[in-house]
């Protein structure tokens, strides 16, 4: 059963890679951004299915770090520096949000 | 020159250099950056440098460089290990939370140690007990549960170098 | 030319490790294992992408922002992982069935009991 699931996942990833790198004819940076968006689909699966609140929290925290890489590549493609500003601020806000939600999950109050 | 004033001057120079690196060469932007850096260093500048430890400065920086190289190498190993675990069909893990001891006392040293433990192969810091000098570590592939053996396996890689850097 | 090749190599490696980390987020069994895989691989992957950006752009403001992003990720990502794992353990989220030992649970029980007795 486990081997079957592994094999189905492998087929899925292989199909995506084949479509993205050989069928789709875009710029190279758009192909790479597509890989990160495909990864973000897995993260969203964990956000929706995740059995406990901590799983969802981990997934959201990781999504923040993924987005920084995606924004850096978008900035490289469009030759614009302000994408990196957005990325840095996104990282900062995501970090603070993770700490705050972790504090709530732990059951502490605001001034503890 | 007292310690607080020195710390404020260092913070002003650092903030201004970072601003110059990030912004253009317009005069208005440089003046605005100088004003903001001055405000920041006046309000929050006295926390960066906390002690007068000026001895062996070159020694400490050399050990910091050595630590950085070792940390990068351990991190590459960690990532290859995790990639192997994730791609394996059976996910061969044996997780558990173990306890290790540390001799470091300063907050900065303990922070750097726990961050490096989190980013190296198969280990994740869960909690720190500062009074007793104990760190609880989640280990993805538990080889032993003895405290001293775990300390030798996990913490000793960085602790000797960090002791040279911070103390 | 050689600089651009090395930069693109960093970006490709970074994206591969990003993908492995997210795969670990989906495949591993409980919160702590997921946190390990995701934090390590995604931090390394995003730092690789940003460092490749720095190599491609050189010493411009874009490149310096990317370098600042590398330092920022390396400092904050383990701290967030530590906070989440400690909160999850204190919120009694169970470890997976194959767990060998839990030293934190024993000491934590002692601490909670003494607080209640006071």
């Amino acid at each position: 059963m486990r081997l079957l699931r592994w094999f189905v996942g492998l087929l899925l990833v292989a199909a995506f890679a084949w479509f993205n790198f050989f069928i789709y004819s875009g710029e190279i940076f758009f192909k790479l951004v597509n890989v990160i968006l495909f990864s973000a689909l897995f993260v969203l699966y964990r956000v929706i299915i995740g059995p406990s609140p901590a799983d969802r929290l981990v997934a959201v925290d990781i999504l923040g770090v993924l987005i920084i890489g995606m924004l850096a590549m978008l900035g490289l493609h469009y030759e614009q520096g302000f994408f990196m500003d957005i990325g840095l601020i996104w990282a900062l806000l995501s970090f603070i949000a993770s700490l705050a939600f972790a504090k709530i999950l732990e059951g502490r109050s605001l001034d503890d | 020159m007292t310690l607080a004033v020195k710390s404020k001057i260092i913070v002003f120079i650092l903030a201004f250099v970072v601003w110059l690196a990030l912004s253009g060469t317009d005069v208005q932007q440089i003046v605005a950056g100088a004003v903001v850096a001055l405000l920041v260093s006046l309000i929050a500048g006295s926390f960066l440098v906390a002690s007068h430890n000026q001895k062996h400065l070159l020694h400490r920086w050399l050990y910091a460089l050595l630590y950085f190289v070792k940390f990068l190498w351990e991190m590459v190993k960690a990532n290859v290990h995790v990639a192997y675990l994730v791609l394996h069909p059976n996910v061969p893990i044996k997780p558990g939370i173990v306890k290790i001891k540390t001799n470091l006392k300063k907050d900065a040293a303990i922070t750097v140690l726990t961050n490096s433990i989190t980013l190296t192969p198969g280990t994740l810091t869960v909690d720190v007990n500062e009074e007793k000098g104990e760190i609880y570590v989640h280990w993805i592939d538990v080889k032993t549960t003895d405290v001293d053996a775990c300390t030798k396996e996990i913490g000793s890689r960085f602790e000797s170098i960090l002791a040279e850097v911070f103390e | 030319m050689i600089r651009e090749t090395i930069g693109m190599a960093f970006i490709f490696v970074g994206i591969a490790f990003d993908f492995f980390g997210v795969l670990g987020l989906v495949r591993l069994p409980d919160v702590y294992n997921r946190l390990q895989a995701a934090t390590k691989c995604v931090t390394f992957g995003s730092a690789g992408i940003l460092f490749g950006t720095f190599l491609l752009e050189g010493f411009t403001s874009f490149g310096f922002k990317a370098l600042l992003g590398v330092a920022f990720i390396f400092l904050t990502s383990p701290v967030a992982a530590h906070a989440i794992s400690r909160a999850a353990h204190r919120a009694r989220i169970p470890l997976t069935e194959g767990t060998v030992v839990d030293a934190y649970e024993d000491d934590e029980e002692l601490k909670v009991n003494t607080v209640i007795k006071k």
Side-chain angles (χ1 to χ4, degrees):
Chain A
M1 189 60 206
R2 186 163 221 173
L3 208 59
L4 188 69
R5 273 169 58 196
W6 184 78
F7 197 66
V8 169
L10 188 69
L11 276 184
L12 189 67
V13 173
F16 168 76
W18 183 65
F19 179 78
N20 187 33
F21 287 106
F22 296 108
I23 303 287
Y24 174 69
S25 63
E27 298 276 339
I28 179 70
F29 283 122
F30 281 140
K31 290 182 182 178
L32 298 181
V33 165
N34 281 345
V35 177
I36 289 192
L37 290 177
F38 185 65
S39 309
L41 275 185
F42 283 107
V43 177
L44 282 183
Y45 167 83
R46 184 49 72 195
V47 171
I48 294 167
I49 301 296
S52 68
D55 291 303
R56 300 192 169 102
L57 190 48
V58 172
V60 171
D61 180 41
I62 288 310
L63 188 64
V65 185
L66 272 180
I67 292 293
I68 305 170
M70 194 188 89
L71 283 171
M73 279 185 304
L74 281 180
L76 275 178
H77 178 256
Y78 288 111
E79 301 281 334
Q80 295 286 329
F82 68 86
F83 280 100
M84 219 42 237
D85 294 340
I86 304 172
L88 284 177
I89 294 170
W90 190 306
L92 186 64
L93 287 181
S94 158
F95 171 61
I96 294 174
S98 297
L99 287 190
F101 279 123
K103 205 168 181 177
I104 292 173
L105 183 66
E106 199 172 333
R108 290 192 295 175
S109 60
L110 198 63
D111 54 351
D112 190 3
Chain B
M1 189 183 290
T2 62
L3 197 61
V5 175
K6 203 168 119 191
S7 174
K8 281 177 185 174
I9 290 174
I10 291 175
V11 168
F12 174 76
I13 292 173
L14 274 180
F16 194 54
V17 166
V18 169
W19 173 268
L20 284 184
L22 292 187
S23 72
T25 54
D26 194 7
V27 177
Q28 290 181 358
Q29 285 187 351
I30 292 175
V31 171
V35 171
V36 173
L38 193 65
L39 275 179
V40 168
S41 62
L42 282 182
I43 293 171
S46 57
F47 304 117
L48 184 66
V49 180
S51 70
H52 260 306
N53 195 355
Q54 286 293 331
K55 287 182 287 185
H56 314 300
L57 205 58
L58 180 68
H59 178 248
R60 288 169 67 191
W61 276 103
L62 278 179
Y63 267 97
L65 197 66
L66 174 68
Y67 168 76
F68 188 68
V69 172
K70 189 173 171 57
F71 169 71
L72 277 185
W73 171 240
E74 291 284 338
M75 189 165 176
V76 171
K77 272 200 317 195
N79 282 282
V80 173
H81 178 238
V82 171
Y84 165 73
L85 283 185
V86 165
L87 293 180
H88 198 281
N90 283 328
V91 194
I93 60 173
K94 200 171 94 175
I97 295 182
V98 297
K99 184 164 76 172
I100 70 172
K101 285 190 179 305
T102 176
N103 292 322
L104 301 172
K105 288 285 182 284
K106 288 186 179 174
D107 284 349
I110 291 179
T111 309
V112 175
L113 179 65
T114 50
N115 275 9
S116 346
I117 285 175
T118 298
L119 289 176
T120 47
T123 49
L124 170 80
T125 311
V126 177
D127 203 353
V128 178
N129 189 344
E130 288 176 27
E131 290 93 20
K132 292 182 187 171
E134 291 168 348
I135 303 176
Y136 298 94
V137 173
H138 182 267
W139 200 357
I140 207 167
D141 186 16
V142 176
K143 296 191 185 75
T144 169
T145 58
D146 183 45
V147 174
D148 292 326
C150 289
T151 306
K152 198 175 175 187
E153 192 83 19
I154 297 172
S156 306
R157 285 182 294 204
F158 298 116
E159 201 172 325
S160 52
I161 304 178
L162 279 180
E164 295 284 341
V165 174
F166 282 100
E167 286 165 8
Chain C
M1 184 60 205
I2 185 98
R3 196 187 65 183
E4 286 168 5
T5 312
I6 295 175
M8 286 308 282
F10 264 100
I11 289 181
F12 273 103
V13 171
I15 285 182
F17 276 110
D18 265 1
F19 186 70
F20 290 152
V22 171
L23 218 54
L25 187 67
V26 174
R27 288 199 72 202
L28 290 176
D30 71 345
V31 181
Y32 310 95
N33 296 317
R34 281 170 199 154
L35 203 51
Q36 290 219 17
T39 304
K40 284 188 193 79
C41 278
V42 176
T43 304
F44 185 70
S46 286
I49 293 173
L50 289 176
F51 192 71
T53 307
F54 169 69
L55 285 182
L56 286 181
E57 287 291 318
F59 291 95
T60 59
S61 68
F62 191 7
F64 274 115
K65 278 171 201 162
L67 210 57
L68 202 65
V70 174
F72 189 80
I73 289 177
F74 271 134
L75 283 180
T76 59
S77 180
V79 177
H82 159 65
I84 293 172
S85 67
R86 193 176 72 162
H89 205 289
R90 295 223 172 141
R92 295 283 182 272
I93 289 168
L95 281 80
T96 183
E97 290 156 4
T99 303
V100 180
V101 59
D102 190 354
Y104 190 49
E105 183 68 32
D106 310 336
D107 294 8
E108 191 68 10
E109 283 299 329
L110 288 175
K111 227 180 283 179
V112 169
N113 285 337
T114 51
V115 167
I116 289 172
K117 271 173 198 167
K118 278 176 190 173

